[in-house]
């Protein structure tokens, strides 16, 4: 909210009282925190007076008075005369002070065009070349002018120069430097760079706490502005923490009845309002009103703003109740009153009034209000800002009732706009909480779009929604799908280009994960630099050979055979205002998007995914995770014992199928009309579905679904692009085997069966003439493994794996999942250390595994991860896919040592027979169920293995 009436609106994109900038000669009533440039100038020693400087100072003072007094032509002429005289002086600091005053005056009378000319002139003169302290002030004001006109790309370098100058003169943690940096954060936020702004806002606030202390007024100011940024991206709970901190400090320092206290009190009211805590919001808006009454008794706009917020709160709290004509007119009067009410309040009032008009059936009036809100937001912020996106989503949703075709176009346009914005924002978020807040806006779009696609607008909306899901499921830095597509075309024909494409694709994915996780350290920055270098090298190579990246995204249906289908599962979420609460979701819906070669994409609403996995299924998965099946000693048992074992096993298998029958009915039965006659299904899971053992799903006739249909699990839809490349065993391809590892003392439990496992696999490989490298004992270090794996076509690692839910331990999932190598001890702490005996998903993500056709992690729980708001899963499957492995055979739960060894050996036997990787796994499962693989007949072994492709 921006104070109006007796106060000049100093920020083009102000959304809150806390972003009042005392700039550019604007005269404000009351005492407020001052801007860095003015504070800094007040502290500096004035220029040494001479006859010339005194005369010029007097001339400048007169010119400013004329200009501000309405005699613009005469005043401007005198400004130029004074500056011309100042330029001849050798006192650089004095000269830059005159430019500061002159440009501030022109900005105050709304002649930014002339002010910009003077800024340019200032830095062409000899005074600026001498780098006086005044350069910092003038650079900062120049940057503010440029960003006020939405030229943020031009403004950022100026801000950076100004900040560097303040750092040089006053130190990085100084008040002057911090507030200059805050101006950049505010500008970035106003121009839609939400992630960068919030990163910088947080950095400034935390640095101010360290250098100036929590009792310094600048720290409170930065807390307010950081809170504004969080509120704008939809994180009111985090904003409230900062605002309450600032209220306590400001009320104690300035007193209750002070403008700066009022500023933050109003912001806290907005926080409570956004959280749906209406009584708390009213309490703070009443407090705002009480302060305003004392602060400006003769200015009704102060108290009027509080009254408007209170009225809006009451109207919003009424929910779906009908609104009286008088109340509706009052709400619309707030929208129309630009002079007295903040843009943020006017936007909110317009959207609420629009909904009430539409509730009455007055849809044209409602649409006009929504368009008004968008016009305010576009002018005050930008068209690519979270507030503008919310309004556009409201417009698209309102169109469903009147013009479904136009609604599809609106949803599609917003989807593309938000997707491009999201790639940039999530990729530079630097804070997982911020990344999730940003992604929540996309979640709301996709939630509404999916509801439309499966409701009244389904005939026209389904293909558009399917295309949107395809984009979001392959979200990454750069166009990952285009890179994959071109790499597939170049592989085997132009290996130099193909290698550059693989490097760009891998580093794009790694950068995306690093920056969305909040791990912004020197390592993350080095990845960004390498990614940038890889993209430049690729661009240079493509220019040299006259090739461009594909512009039209390839659809799954273009890559399918007639008997194949893709099932792309996708979860949409509708968030509560407080995403930090224990139950942050208001609603979730699971969709299945089915694509075939013969029809348009079909979107099927499968309902709440939280109800998809019932108690029986959860119990069975828990049993499988807890069961460590071992091979029975069959020679020592009688025929009756064996028969009893077989009956017990069969009974347990039937029970397992029964438990999963409901899950099959929910996941597949609604799709059967589209899937009839399809013999191969490519399944792209989302969220919790990554942890579901699809191999256990029963078919309608009582058998297993995979006995009648080939099911192939993809990590992303664009994995189809190269799904048939190198999908059978390269008979002479090099194989790397690691097992029989010696762990530390004390350390993890030894796995003697893994030595036997890799020796049996090595025997099979050597029999067909394939080169084999074996790592065992103490020789399975991270460095040795990384060096050897780059030469292999298949890598098989038999060891312990681990996975911990990140929510339970407070660490990123990529540091909570991995495998165990030589020398590992009992305790571990996540470190990027190649000598600690633990290879974390975070580390392997940086490896180049693009030469691998298959990576087998014969270990426990390597296929698990946490749900992600950026990609479907975060864990080893994510890390291995980013690193470039074409396929990874992983496990969903702990598995028995001997059963695992026998299972994987049989898998390689089928590969040697010429089966594809997916068919070999499918056949090995059958063998295990039929008792042909010792120790693997129980589903706790054979159902644990899943082959993730892509």
């Amino acid at each position: 909210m921006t104070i109006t009436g007796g106060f000049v609106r100093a920020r083009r994109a102000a959304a809150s009282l806390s972003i009042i900038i005392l700039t550019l000669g604007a005269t404000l009533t009351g005492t407020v925190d001052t801007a860095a440039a003015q504070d800094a100038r007040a502290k500096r020693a004035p220029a040494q007076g001479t006859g010339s400087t005194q005369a010029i100072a007097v001339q400048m003072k007169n010119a400013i008075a004329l200009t501000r007094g309405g005699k613009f032509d005469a005043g401007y002429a005198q400004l130029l005369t004074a500056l011309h005289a100042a330029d001849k002086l050798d006192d650089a600091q004095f000269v830059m002070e005159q430019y500061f005053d002159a440009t501030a005056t022109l900005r105050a009378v709304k002649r930014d065009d002339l002010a910009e000319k003077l800024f340019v002139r200032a830095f062409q003169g000899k005074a600026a070349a001498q780098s006086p302290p005044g350069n910092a002030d003038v650079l900062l004001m120049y940057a503010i002018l440029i960003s006020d006109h939405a030229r943020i790309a031009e403004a950022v370098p100026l801000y950076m120069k100004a900040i560097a100058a303040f750092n040089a003169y006053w130190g990085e943690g100084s008040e002057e430097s911090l507030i200059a940096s805050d101006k950049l954060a505010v500008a970035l936020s106003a121009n839609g760079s939400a992630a960068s702004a919030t990163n910088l806002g947080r950095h400034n606030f935390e640095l101010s706490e360290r250098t100036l202390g929590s009792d310094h007024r600048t720290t409170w100011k930065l807390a307010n502005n950081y809170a504004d940024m969080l509120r704008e991206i939809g994180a009111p709970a985090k904003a409230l923490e900062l605002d309450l901190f600032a209220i306590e400090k400001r009320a104690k320092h300035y007193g209750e009845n002070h403008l700066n206290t009022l500023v933050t009190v109003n912001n806290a009211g907005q926080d409570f309002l956004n959280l749906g805590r209406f009584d708390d919001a009213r309490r703070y808006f009443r407090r705002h009103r009480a302060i305003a009454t004392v602060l400006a008794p003769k200015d009704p706009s102060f108290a009027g703003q509080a009254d408007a917020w209170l009225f809006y709160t009451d109207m919003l709290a009424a929910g779906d109740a009908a609104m009286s004509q008088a109340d509706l007119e009052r709400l619309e009067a707030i929208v129309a009153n630009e002079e007295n009410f903040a843009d943020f309040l006017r936007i909110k009032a317009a959207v609420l009034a629009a909904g009430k008009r539409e509730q009455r059936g007055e849809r044209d009036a409602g649409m006009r209000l929504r368009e008004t809100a968008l016009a305010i937001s576009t002018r005050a912020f930008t068209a690519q800002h979270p507030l503008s996106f919310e309004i556009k989503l409201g417009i698209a949703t309102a169109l469903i009732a009147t013009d479904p075709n136009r609604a599809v176009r609106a949803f599609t346009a917003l989807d593309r706009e938000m997707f491009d914005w999201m790639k940039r924002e999530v990729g530079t978020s630097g804070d997982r909480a911020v990344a999730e807040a940003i992604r929540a806006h996309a979640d709301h779009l996709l939630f509404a779009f999916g509801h439309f696609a499966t409701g009244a607008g389904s005939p026209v909306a389904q293909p558009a929604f399917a295309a949107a899901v395809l984009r979001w499921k392959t979200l990454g830095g750069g166009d990952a799908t285009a890179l994959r597509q071109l790499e597939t075309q170049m592989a085997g024909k132009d290996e130099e280009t193909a290698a550059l494409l693989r490097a760009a694709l891998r580093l794009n994915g790694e950068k995306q994960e690093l920056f969305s996780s909040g791990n912004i350290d020197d390592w993350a920055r080095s990845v960004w630099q390498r990614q940038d270098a890889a993209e430049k090298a690729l661009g240079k190579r493509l220019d040299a050979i006259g090739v461009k990246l594909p512009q039209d995204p390839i659809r799954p249906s273009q890559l399918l055979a007639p008997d194949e289908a893709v099932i792309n599962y996708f979860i949409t979420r509708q968030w509560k205002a407080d995403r930090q609460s224990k139950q942050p979701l208001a609603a979730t819906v699971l969709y299945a998007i089915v694509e075939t070669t013969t029809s348009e994409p079909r979107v099927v609403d499968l309902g709440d995914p939280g109800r998809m996995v019932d108690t029986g299924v959860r119990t069975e998965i828990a049993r499988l995770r807890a069961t460590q099946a071992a091979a029975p000693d069959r020679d020592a048992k009688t025929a009756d014992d064996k028969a009893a074992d077989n009956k017990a096993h069969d009974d347990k298998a039937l029970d397992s199928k029964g438990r999963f029958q409901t899950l099959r009915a929910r996941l597949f039965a609604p799709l059967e009309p589209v899937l009839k006659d399809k013999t191969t299904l490519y399944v792209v899971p989302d969220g919790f579905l990554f942890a579901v053992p699809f191999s256990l799903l029963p078919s309608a006739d009582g058998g297993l679904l995979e006995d009648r249909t080939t099911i192939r699990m993809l990590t992303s839809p664009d994995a189809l692009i190269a799904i048939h490349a190198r999908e059978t065993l390269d008979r002479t391809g090099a194989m790397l085997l690691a097992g029989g590892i010696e762990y530390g003392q004390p350390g993890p439990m030894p796995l003697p069966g893994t030595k036997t496992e890799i020796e049996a696999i090595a025997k099979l490989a050597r029999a067909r003439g394939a080169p084999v490298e074996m790592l065992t004992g103490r020789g399975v270090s991270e460095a040795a493994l990384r060096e050897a794996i780059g030469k292999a076509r298949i890598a098989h690692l038999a060891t312990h794996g681990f996975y911990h839910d990140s929510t339970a331990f407070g660490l990123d999932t990529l540091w909570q999942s991995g495998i165990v190598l030589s020398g590992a001890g009992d305790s571990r702490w996540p470190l990027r250390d190649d000598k600690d005996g633990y290879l974390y998903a975070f580390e392997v993500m940086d490896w180049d595994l693009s030469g691998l056709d298959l990576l087998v992690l014969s270990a426990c729980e390597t296929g698990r991860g946490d749900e992600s708001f950026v990609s479907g899963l975060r864990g080893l499957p994510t890390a291995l896919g980013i690193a470039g492995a074409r396929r990874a055979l992983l496990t969903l739960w702990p598995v028995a040592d001997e059963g695992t060894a026998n299972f994987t050996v049989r898998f390689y036997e089928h590969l040697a027979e010429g089966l594809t990787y997916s068919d070999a796994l499918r056949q090995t499962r059958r063998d295990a169920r039929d008792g042909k693989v010792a120790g693997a007949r129980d589903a706790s072994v054979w159902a644990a293995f899943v082959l993730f492709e892509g």
Side-chain angles (χ1 to χ4, degrees):
M1 173 182 175
T2 302
I3 289 212
T4 52
F7 291 80
V8 174
R9 302 173 72 210
R11 178 191 167 198
R12 167 185 157 276
S16 161
L17 279 166
S18 69
I19 305 188
I20 291 178
I21 302 175
L22 306 187
T23 64
L24 323 173
T27 302
L28 304 185
T29 303
T31 304
V32 297
D33 286 348
T34 55
Q38 292 173 324
D39 274 354
R41 292 178 72 244
K43 295 176 182 177
R44 296 169 187 153
Q48 294 299 313
T50 66
S52 296
T53 58
Q54 290 174 351
I56 292 170
V58 170
Q59 190 175 13
M60 180 62 69
K61 182 177 180 180
N62 292 335
I64 290 173
L66 286 170
T67 306
R68 289 175 178 268
K71 298 180 180 179
F72 178 80
D73 291 338
Y76 181 60
Q78 285 199 28
L79 286 176
L80 293 178
T81 301
L83 291 174
H84 181 71
D87 284 335
K88 297 177 181 179
L89 300 178
D90 290 329
D91 191 335
Q93 175 65 15
F94 175 80
V95 174
M96 297 309 292
E97 288 178 353
Q98 306 317 300
Y99 274 99
F100 183 97
D101 291 340
T103 51
T105 299
L106 291 172
R107 293 221 66 191
V109 297
K110 303 186 185 303
R111 288 305 304 266
D112 284 1
D113 55 334
L114 297 177
E116 185 172 356
K117 290 181 179 179
L118 293 189
F119 282 128
V120 173
R121 173 176 165 170
F123 290 101
Q124 291 175 340
K126 65 179 183 179
Q130 296 176 36
S131 300
N135 275 13
D137 300 281
V138 180
L139 275 167
L140 180 60
M141 189 156 55
Y142 188 8
I144 292 172
L145 181 150
I146 297 299
S147 60
D148 279 355
H149 290 275
R151 293 154 56 190
I152 192 66
E154 297 174 54
V156 168
L158 292 170
Y159 277 113
M160 297 304 291
K161 289 179 181 178
I163 293 166
F166 281 116
N167 288 345
Y169 297 131
W170 307 105
E172 184 176 356
S174 66
E175 182 180 10
E176 294 84 0
S177 178
L178 283 167
I179 300 183
S181 185
D182 182 60
K183 295 296 188 290
L184 171 56
V186 168
L188 289 169
S189 178
N191 284 275
S193 296
S196 297
T198 311
N199 289 344
L200 188 56
R202 181 186 63 182
H203 168 79
N204 292 336
F205 171 65
E206 292 175 350
L207 181 59
S208 186
E209 279 197 306
R210 291 196 302 270
T211 60
L212 302 179
S214 61
D215 290 328
H216 196 283
R217 61 179 185 154
T218 294
T219 302
W220 317 330
K221 178 185 180 69
L222 299 184
N224 259 345
N225 288 0
Y226 177 30
D228 265 350
M229 296 164 201
L230 289 167
R231 192 162 41 250
E232 287 179 13
I233 65 171
K238 292 177 72 71
L240 180 60
E241 295 173 10
L242 292 158
D243 285 325
L244 293 178
F245 159 79
I247 290 171
E248 179 186 0
K249 296 294 184 180
R250 283 184 157 176
K252 182 178 179 180
H253 178 78
Y254 297 112
E256 174 73 4
N257 296 318
H258 191 281
L259 178 61
N260 289 343
T261 306
L262 182 149
V263 163
T264 321
V265 166
N266 177 273
N267 287 344
Q270 292 185 49
D271 295 331
F272 283 121
L273 184 63
N274 291 336
L275 289 168
R277 295 169 58 177
F278 299 119
D279 288 342
D280 288 320
R282 291 184 184 99
R283 181 160 54 89
Y284 274 80
F285 290 140
R286 290 190 189 106
R287 185 175 173 184
H288 167 187
R289 196 184 195 289
I291 298 170
T293 302
V294 175
L295 188 63
K298 295 182 180 180
D299 190 338
S301 69
F302 270 47
Q305 289 183 65
D307 289 338
W309 278 110
L310 283 164
F311 172 69
Y312 173 75
T313 301
D314 290 340
M315 295 301 98
L316 187 65
D320 293 332
M323 186 179 292
S324 70
Q325 182 65 25
D327 285 341
L328 186 54
E329 289 175 359
R330 183 179 174 186
L331 200 61
E332 291 174 351
I334 293 173
V335 179
N337 193 336
E338 181 178 0
E339 184 65 25
N340 290 317
F341 297 119
D343 291 330
F344 193 72
L345 174 59
R346 294 173 62 222
I347 290 168
K348 293 290 188 181
V351 171
L352 179 58
K356 295 302 180 182
R357 287 291 183 188
E358 289 157 359
Q359 190 179 45
R360 293 175 166 210
E362 301 168 0
R363 298 194 176 277
D364 289 344
M367 185 58 66
R368 285 194 296 271
L369 282 162
R370 294 187 186 278
E371 290 169 347
T372 298
L374 181 58
I376 297 169
S377 183
T378 300
R379 186 196 72 249
F381 301 94
T382 65
Q384 286 75 43
H385 189 279
L387 289 174
S388 298
F389 290 144
E390 286 181 12
I391 299 165
K392 291 176 185 178
L393 177 57
I395 290 173
T397 303
L399 286 169
I400 294 173
T402 58
D403 192 339
N405 288 318
R406 189 179 165 198
V408 170
R409 293 194 294 273
F411 272 110
T412 300
L414 179 56
D415 164 59
R416 292 183 179 276
E417 188 177 12
M418 286 190 69
F419 182 77
D420 291 339
W421 179 79
M422 195 70 55
K423 284 195 300 184
R424 181 192 74 201
E425 295 301 305
V426 172
T428 58
S429 64
D431 183 316
R432 187 152 188 80
V434 172
E436 292 172 3
I438 292 169
R439 176 63 195 263
H441 293 284
D443 284 333
H444 289 169
L445 161 67
L446 294 164
F447 187 90
F449 202 171
H451 182 72
F452 173 37
T454 54
S458 59
V460 289
Q462 288 206 0
F465 178 66
V469 169
L470 189 64
R471 277 191 292 277
W472 289 100
K473 287 289 283 280
T474 56
L475 179 63
D479 191 344
T481 301
L483 290 170
R484 280 179 181 262
Q485 194 173 337
L486 187 57
E487 189 277 333
T488 303
Q489 296 170 11
M490 292 293 180
K493 301 173 186 175
D494 183 345
E495 274 304 312
E496 180 180 350
T497 304
L500 289 171
L501 286 159
R502 287 192 289 270
L505 183 61
R506 181 171 55 82
L507 289 166
N508 268 329
E510 184 177 2
K511 186 195 83 170
Q512 190 75 16
E513 279 294 340
L514 286 170
F515 282 82
S516 67
S517 69
N519 291 278
I520 309 304
D521 53 14
D522 291 340
W523 179 260
R525 295 184 184 93
S526 76
V527 170
W528 195 327
Q529 292 169 357
R530 284 187 284 141
Q531 184 259 344
D532 185 57
E535 287 194 347
K536 288 179 180 176
L538 175 61
K540 185 176 180 181
R541 175 64 180 174
L542 294 181
D543 287 343
I545 64 175
V547 173
K548 294 183 178 180
L549 286 170
Q551 298 301 305
D552 297 323
I554 193 167
R555 289 208 57 81
S557 59
Q558 298 172 260
L559 301 166
L560 297 172
D563 61 347
E564 296 178 332
V566 174
I567 306 174
N568 189 5
Y569 290 105
F570 190 68
I571 297 172
T572 65
R573 305 170 178 88
Q574 190 174 55
W575 294 88
K576 295 178 183 176
D578 186 2
R579 287 190 310 282
Q580 295 177 262
S581 65
K582 291 183 179 180
Q583 295 181 329
L585 292 172
T588 56
V589 177
L590 174 65
Y591 292 101
I593 297 93
V594 182
E595 299 216 34
T596 67
T597 59
T598 57
S599 63
E600 289 282 357
R602 284 284 305 276
V603 182
V604 181
D605 183 343
L606 298 177
D608 183 356
R611 300 177 182 176
M612 189 69 58
V613 181
D614 59 21
T615 302
V617 172
R618 293 180 190 276
T619 300
E620 180 61 14
I621 292 177
R623 183 192 72 80
L624 293 167
R625 285 179 179 159
T627 302
Q628 287 269 356
D633 185 357
R634 296 185 65 82
D635 292 336
K637 293 193 175 188
T638 65
D640 289 343
D641 289 335
K642 293 176 183 178
D645 284 346
N646 289 338
K647 184 178 186 306
H649 175 273
D650 292 340
D651 289 345
K652 189 159 57 177
L654 288 170
D655 181 57
S656 177
K657 283 192 287 187
R659 290 178 185 271
F660 281 95
Q661 184 66 46
T662 302
L663 185 58
R664 186 209 69 82
R666 291 172 177 171
L667 285 177
F668 279 96
L671 316 179
E672 286 173 354
V674 190
L675 297 177
K676 61 182 179 181
D677 302 326
K678 303 304 178 188
T679 59
T680 298
L681 302 178
Y682 297 101
V683 175
V684 189
D686 194 18
F688 78 98
L689 291 180
F690 273 92
V692 170
F694 278 76
S695 59
L696 280 173
L697 295 183
S699 62
D701 59 8
L704 287 178
L705 187 62
E706 79 161 9
D707 286 340
R708 290 150 182 77
T709 307
T710 298
I711 300 174
R712 299 178 69 168
M713 306 299 293
L714 309 183
T715 54
S716 66
D718 60 357
L720 272 175
I721 293 171
I723 196 70
H724 296 304
R726 295 169 15 198
E727 66 175 338
T728 58
L729 184 68
D730 182 345
R731 300 189 67 83
T732 59
M735 178 174 281
L736 171 66
L737 302 170
I741 298 173
E742 289 187 26
Y743 308 119
Q745 293 295 332
M749 180 183 69
L751 297 173
T754 60
K755 182 71 177 297
T756 305
E757 177 180 343
I758 64 170
E759 287 174 344
I761 296 168
K763 184 178 180 180
L764 290 171
R766 289 173 179 140
R768 67 174 190 270
V772 175
E773 181 173 0
M774 296 182 68
L775 300 176
T776 189
R778 298 185 179 182
V780 195
S781 68
E782 192 173 322
L785 184 62
R786 185 168 188 171
E787 180 181 359
I789 207 166
K791 308 169 189 174
R793 186 68 81 183
I794 292 179
H796 182 104
L797 313 180
T799 182
H800 285 291
F802 58 90
Y803 162 79
H804 297 293
D805 185 343
S806 64
T807 58
F809 289 84
L811 291 173
D812 189 288
T813 307
L814 296 179
W815 283 117
Q816 291 284 70
S817 54
I819 59 172
V820 185
L821 304 179
S822 296
D826 272 342
S827 61
R828 60 180 182 269
W829 183 254
L831 294 172
R832 191 176 292 281
D833 179 357
D834 61 5
K835 297 181 178 64
D836 63 354
Y838 291 96
L839 178 57
Y840 297 94
F842 221 114
E843 296 174 301
V844 79
M845 182 170 63
D846 190 57
W847 291 20
D848 182 358
L849 303 181
S850 57
L852 289 178
D853 289 346
L854 174 69
L855 174 63
V856 179
L857 294 185
S858 183
C860 297
E861 299 189 285
T862 51
R864 296 187 64 197
D866 286 354
E867 287 191 38
S868 169
F869 304 109
V870 179
S871 53
L873 187 84
R874 304 191 80 240
L876 270 172
T878 302
L880 297 174
I882 289 170
R886 287 180 178 270
R887 299 165 192 85
L889 183 60
L890 307 175
T891 59
L892 297 177
W893 51 73
V895 284
D897 184 15
E898 184 179 356
T900 297
N902 295 332
F903 186 91
T904 55
V905 170
R906 180 59 63 93
F907 170 67
Y908 284 108
E909 289 174 349
H910 286 311
L911 285 179
E913 295 167 0
L915 295 182
T916 65
Y917 293 106
S918 61
D919 284 342
L921 177 60
R922 186 183 180 202
Q923 186 58 51
T924 304
R925 287 199 191 108
R926 285 176 178 167
D927 292 347
R929 284 159 38 208
D930 292 342
K932 298 177 182 178
V933 181
R937 192 165 189 244
D938 194 272
S940 63
V941 177
W942 62 261
F945 286 91
V946 59
L947 184 68
F948 287 113
E949 303 187 69

